[in-house]
DNA sequence: CGCCAGATTGACT
DNA sequence: GTCAATCTGGCGG
């Protein structure tokens, strides 16, 4: 079952937490790729020093005007995949940091050019490559099937398996944990 | 058009 | 564990 747009119209931290265990579905021609989300991070608007909203431009607009849309942008020679998620009148998004390959693993290995399962999708840049997510998905809604990329309800993660920590790789983090991951999952990018 | 910073990755001093 | 490659986006000129 596909997740409706309203799901994303809430605080980014809540959305990030609840996205754990959900499935990313990607249709590539006749192939179908499915991954379970195991690690996410929440980003806010201009009040967040790590948010691209601070820099203005198109990304800031996506963070504020879009809800339930993909925000794809490049850095360190790869793509980063976010979903715009925030309450009315503010800005924010959820970064998908890692996921677990469920279906279409062969295809992902080909796209990633590796046979190491652990390396397939255990990192924000890696999972984009494994799922063939690029700039063309920027600003496309993930609550419809039309574009070949959407999020579906998946496994319910018991709350005692949901961990939180500070965000990874962020120079200036906020004073509270905004990274969420499934405890003990093999594909979480970092403990 | 050039400059700079950054939510990373993969190869190996 | 350490380190440098190399890309995108925003901004100034």
């Amino acid at each position: 079952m596909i997740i409706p747009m309203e799901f994303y119209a809430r605080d980014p931290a809540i959305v990030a937490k609840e996205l754990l265990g959900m499935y990313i579905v990607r249709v590539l021609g006749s192939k179908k790729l499915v991954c379970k989300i195991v690690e996410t991070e929440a980003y806010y608007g201009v009040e967040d020093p790590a948010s691209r909203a601070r820099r203005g431009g198109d990304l800031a607009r996506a963070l504020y005007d879009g809800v339930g849309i993909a925000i794809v942008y490049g850095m360190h020679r790869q793509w980063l995949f976010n979903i715009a998620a925030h309450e009315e009148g503010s800005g924010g998004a959820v970064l998908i940091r890692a996921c677990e390959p469920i279906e279409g693993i062969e295809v992902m290995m080909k796209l990633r050019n590796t046979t190491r399962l652990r390396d397939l999708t255990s990192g924000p840049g890696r999972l984009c490559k494994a799922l063939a997510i690029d700039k063309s998905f920027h600003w496309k809604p993930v609550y419809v099937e039309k574009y070949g990329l959407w999020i579906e309800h998946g496994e319910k993660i018991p709350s005692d398996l949901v961990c939180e920590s500070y965000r990874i790789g962020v120079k200036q983090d906020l004073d509270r944990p905004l990274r969420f991951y499934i405890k003990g999952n093999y594909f979480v990018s970092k403990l």
Side-chain angles (χ1 to χ4, degrees):
Chain A
M1 195 171 66
I2 200 159
I3 296 180
M5 199 236 256
E6 299 78 58
F7 176 85
Y8 304 101
R10 296 178 294 160
D11 186 284
I14 296 174
V15 176
K17 199 177 230 173
E18 294 191 7
L19 273 175
L20 293 176
M22 302 286 192
Y23 292 123
I24 304 174
V25 182
R26 172 82 172 96
V27 171
L28 262 182
S30 58
K31 310 276 191 186
K32 187 179 180 188
L33 309 180
V34 181
C35 282
K36 183 174 83 175
I37 299 173
V38 300
E39 183 179 356
T40 58
E41 280 178 6
Y43 287 83
Y44 287 87
V46 288
E47 71 273 26
D48 182 351
S51 175
R52 293 308 281 219
R54 293 206 139 201
R55 297 174 167 253
D58 172 68
L59 288 167
R61 278 194 296 281
L63 278 165
Y64 275 84
D65 295 345
V67 168
I69 59 161
I71 298 178
V72 180
Y73 95 94
M75 77 166 314
H76 295 107
R77 83 176 167 279
Q78 40 236 320
W79 300 110
L80 297 227
F81 174 47
N82 305 253
I83 301 173
H86 52 83
E87 294 170 303
E88 182 77 30
S90 65
V94 176
L95 166 72
I96 311 299
R97 274 197 65 85
C99 58
E100 175 181 336
I102 304 287
E103 196 180 319
I105 294 178
E106 313 275 305
V107 181
M108 295 186 216
M109 284 185 171
K110 206 161 194 172
L111 284 164
R112 284 274 296 121
N113 198 26
T114 178
T115 53
R116 288 202 56 206
L117 191 59
R118 175 79 222 283
D119 290 344
L120 271 189
T121 52
S122 55
R126 290 170 177 165
L127 74 90
C128 282
K129 207 168 175 195
L131 295 174
I133 294 173
D134 62 26
K135 190 71 186 174
S136 65
F137 287 99
H138 187 50
W139 216 282
K140 298 284 193 292
V142 296
Y143 50 84
V144 294
E145 297 186 11
K146 185 175 173 184
Y147 302 100
L149 176 68
W150 68 91
I151 312 295
E152 288 188 5
H153 280 287
E155 302 168 25
K156 171 70 184 164
I157 307 299
S159 57
D160 60 324
L161 283 184
V162 175
C163 295
E164 42 187 67
S165 77
Y166 290 97
R167 293 179 293 189
I168 289 183
V170 177
K171 294 268 171 67
Q172 302 211 35
D173 205 352
L174 288 173
D175 195 23
R176 71 179 168 112
L178 289 172
R179 168 175 176 253
F180 306 94
Y181 60 97
I182 299 175
K183 189 177 189 174
N185 187 282
Y186 184 57
F187 295 92
V188 170
S189 66
K190 223 180 149 196
L191 295 174

